């Protein structure tokens, strides 16, 4: 006995009705309990926005997951290849958060291949709170296969990775969350306007498996990641034409004075 085929039209239309609602409800914000294990941050090498945002996102993830309540003494692994060190320099301990200054382990890799090996080995060690990497450009070693290995290793051993891509173009990757970051103007200090302000980034989430794309102005205030409102443009100043003296009619002031 032959069966009539199931109508294909109803199956095709059902995902289209629920997709926009699911994306609107899953907008990213700081403090979420669900944090990915492999993220990428694309940033220019002329500024430290990539490394700064990586530290801020790592601190937000560890705090929201209650993995860093203040008594966590696990180390943080920071790996850089030679090109990244030449462009941006090594991490400065004085510029790191106070709770990470004595827990940082820095690895300088000679080649991108050595860096990927160090990242993968670090992700296998559950004694690390997280792993941060900095790599320059789009090396051939960092293809989709290598990115997939990093994602699987991070998820298997539950150690999170934030990979900063300096002066790189977004290519194929298995990273669960991908950001585009650049520095944003800081608010002036209250007592010294010439002093450096609070770090602020313009962050664009252009790929995520759990969240809709979006843009935010993020700041790291006292170790906490916050979303700042978009700065409103200053109103245009129109000059007021004010006459300082009565206009003369017919003759000049000098002629009137002699008269």
């Amino acid at each position: 006995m032959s069966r009539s085929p199931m109508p294909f039209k109803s199956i095709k239309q059902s995902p289209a009705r629920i997709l926009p609602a699911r994306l609107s409800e899953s907008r990213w914000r700081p403090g979420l309990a669900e944090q990915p294990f492999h993220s990428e941050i694309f940033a220019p090498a002329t500024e430290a926005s990539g490394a700064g945002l990586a530290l801020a996102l790592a601190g937000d993830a560890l705090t929201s997951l209650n993995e860093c309540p203040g008594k966590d003494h696990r180390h943080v692994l920071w790996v850089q290849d030679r090109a990244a060190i030449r462009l941006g320099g090594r991490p400065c301990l004085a510029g790191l958060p106070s709770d990470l200054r004595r827990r940082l382990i820095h690895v300088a890799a000679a080649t991108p291949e050595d860096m990927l090996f160090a990242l993968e080995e670090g992700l296998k060690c559950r004694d690390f709170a997280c792993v941060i990497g900095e790599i320059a450009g789009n090396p051939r070693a960092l293809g989709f296969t290598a990115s997939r290995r990093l994602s699987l290793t991070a998820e298997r051993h539950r150690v999170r990775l934030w990979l900063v891509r300096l002066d790189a173009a977004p290519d194929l990757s298995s990273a669960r969350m991908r950001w585009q970051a650049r520095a944003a103007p800081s608010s002036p200090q209250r007592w010294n306007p010439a002093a450096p302000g609070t770090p602020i980034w313009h962050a664009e989430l252009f790929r995520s498996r759990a969240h809709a794309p979006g843009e935010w102005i993020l700041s790291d205030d006292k170790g906490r990641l916050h979303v700042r409102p978009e700065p409103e443009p200053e109103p245009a100043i129109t000059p007021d034409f004010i006459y300082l003296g009565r206009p003369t009619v017919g003759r000049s002031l000098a002629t009137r004075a002699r008269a």
Side-chain angles (χ1 to χ4, degrees):
M1 182 177 63
S2 62
R3 297 181 180 180
S4 59
M6 183 179 295
F8 185 72
K9 184 177 180 180
S10 60
I11 300 178
K12 186 177 181 180
Q13 289 182 351
S14 57
R17 292 196 299 266
I18 63 176
L19 184 59
R22 293 178 61 183
L23 287 178
S24 61
E25 295 175 356
S26 60
R27 185 172 176 82
W28 179 89
R29 66 182 185 275
L32 291 177
E34 297 181 1
Q35 299 284 349
F37 284 92
H38 182 194
S39 302
E40 286 186 342
I41 302 174
F42 292 83
T46 55
E47 56 189 38
S49 57
L53 183 58
L55 287 173
L57 291 175
D60 178 70
L62 296 176
T63 303
S64 61
L65 296 171
N66 294 325
E67 296 183 6
C68 187
K71 299 181 180 179
D72 191 354
H73 301 288
R74 293 179 299 172
H75 288 78
V76 174
L77 179 64
W78 194 313
V79 185
Q80 292 178 298
D81 68 339
R82 182 180 300 174
I85 295 176
R86 184 177 65 253
L87 291 174
R90 300 170 183 264
C92 179
L93 294 180
L96 295 177
S98 57
D99 60 333
L100 295 181
R101 294 174 185 174
R102 298 183 179 181
R103 299 191 289 137
L104 181 67
I105 297 179
H106 180 260
V107 175
T111 61
E113 291 80 3
D114 294 340
M115 177 186 175
L116 295 176
F117 174 79
L119 290 177
E120 188 173 350
E121 292 299 316
L123 293 174
K124 295 178 182 179
C125 181
R126 298 189 178 184
D127 290 334
F128 284 130
C130 63
V131 178
I132 297 176
E134 282 188 276
I135 189 169
N138 296 83
R140 296 182 59 184
L142 186 56
F144 182 80
T145 303
S147 177
R148 181 63 174 170
R149 288 176 60 92
L150 293 177
S151 299
L152 294 177
T153 305
E155 293 173 356
R156 182 182 300 114
H157 299 276
R158 305 193 66 81
V159 179
R160 287 171 173 80
L161 166 66
W162 283 270
L163 182 59
V164 181
R165 308 283 302 273
L166 300 176
D167 291 343
D171 49 5
L172 290 178
S173 174
S174 66
R176 308 311 189 206
M177 189 174 289
R178 309 185 83 185
W179 295 87
Q180 189 80 38
R182 67 177 186 270
S186 300
S187 302
Q189 291 285 353
R190 179 180 181 183
W191 305 112
N192 186 6
T198 302
I200 299 179
W201 308 277
H202 180 276
E204 177 186 357
L205 180 63
F206 63 91
R207 182 185 182 275
S208 177
R209 292 191 174 186
H211 307 286
E215 299 183 25
W216 294 266
I217 300 295
L218 302 177
S219 65
D220 187 10
D221 298 331
K222 299 180 180 180
R224 302 286 297 184
L225 190 62
H226 299 277
V227 176
R228 291 199 172 190
E230 290 282 351
E232 298 182 359
E234 297 183 357
I237 300 177
T238 56
D240 295 332
F241 296 95
I242 302 175
Y243 292 102
L244 301 179
R246 297 180 58 185
T248 60
V249 180
R251 296 180 299 174
S252 64
L253 292 177
T255 305
R256 294 178 62 183
R258 289 195 298 268

